[in-house]
Amino acid sequence: MSKHQIVKSLRSEVKKINYVIDQKIIQGVPYSREARRHKFLISQLNRLAPQRSSWLSRSMSFVTMFML
């Protein structure tokens, strides 16, 4: 399985878990098991495909470098 396929699979699993958590919140049912699974999936996703920062945040960090 390629890295791209793993990332795609993780994102789809996170969407499914989010839906289940939302449904349990609406029903007033505990969702701690799903929350742990969600936390694990997000950590794996961030490890494999870190979030890219936007051009605005990159430019702001560049500007603040000169302000110091």
Side-chain angles (χ1 to χ4, degrees):
M1 197 177 234
S2 73
K3 182 178 174 181
H4 177 71
Q5 290 172 326
I6 293 170
V7 169
K8 188 175 178 181
S9 174
L10 284 171
R11 285 187 177 139
S12 118
E13 187 68 24
V14 167
K15 284 183 183 182
K16 290 176 189 175
I17 291 288
N18 281 338
Y19 179 77
V20 170
I21 290 173
D22 290 344
Q23 292 301 312
K24 287 193 172 194
I25 288 172
I26 290 170
Q27 295 171 358
V29 178
Y31 55 94
S32 59
R33 177 179 290 161
E34 290 80 8
R36 281 192 302 269
R37 176 80 175 146
H38 181 270
K39 185 176 181 179
F40 172 76
L41 292 172
I42 292 296
S43 71
Q44 294 299 308
L45 190 57
N46 287 336
R47 185 178 59 82
L48 290 172
Q51 295 292 325
R52 295 182 185 167
S53 59
S54 68
W55 67 270
L56 180 61
S57 66
R58 286 191 307 263
S59 63
M60 291 304 286
S61 66
F62 182 73
V63 169
T64 58
M65 182 174 68
F66 291 112
M67 294 177 75
L68 295 174

